[in-house]
Amino acid sequence: MFVKGGYLEVQTHAITVLADRAVRAKDLDEKTALEAEKAPRKRWRKGRPGKRSPPPRSLSNAVAQLEAIRKLRHRA
């Protein structure tokens, strides 16, 4: 499961997820995540000549989804 923001509580017989966004692994779409990564990455690279500004959240979220997809693929 990909979780964006929020909290995760693990108990003996239950897991509770309180998050802004949660997507089941089977519903993660690599093509959509790649598309979501393109525009913010381009703007970030263009707007930071010589600066060390952090990436925008939209880029960080897309990269995190892609990382989750690749990890799941590796496990399969």
Side-chain angles (χ1 to χ4, degrees):
M1 180 168 275
F2 173 79
V3 178
K4 176 187 160 203
Y7 300 92
L8 174 71
E9 178 184 55
V10 180
Q11 297 179 357
T12 307
H13 297 288
I15 296 175
T16 303
V17 178
L18 300 172
D20 296 331
R21 183 169 183 224
V23 181
R24 292 179 185 193
K26 67 178 183 152
D27 296 330
L28 287 173
D29 180 31
E30 186 171 18
K31 183 178 177 183
T32 302
L34 285 168
E35 288 297 317
E37 176 193 32
K38 283 182 185 179
R41 183 177 296 279
K42 187 176 181 179
R43 284 192 307 271
W44 180 55
R45 285 184 176 161
K46 187 176 183 179
R48 62 178 194 109
K51 297 181 182 177
R52 293 297 226 169
S53 62
R57 283 190 182 159
S58 56
L59 176 57
S60 298
N61 291 333
V63 170
Q65 283 189 37
L66 288 167
E67 185 177 324
I69 291 167
R70 289 177 182 136
K71 285 181 180 181
L72 288 168
R73 186 182 300 141
H74 180 70
R75 286 185 183 179

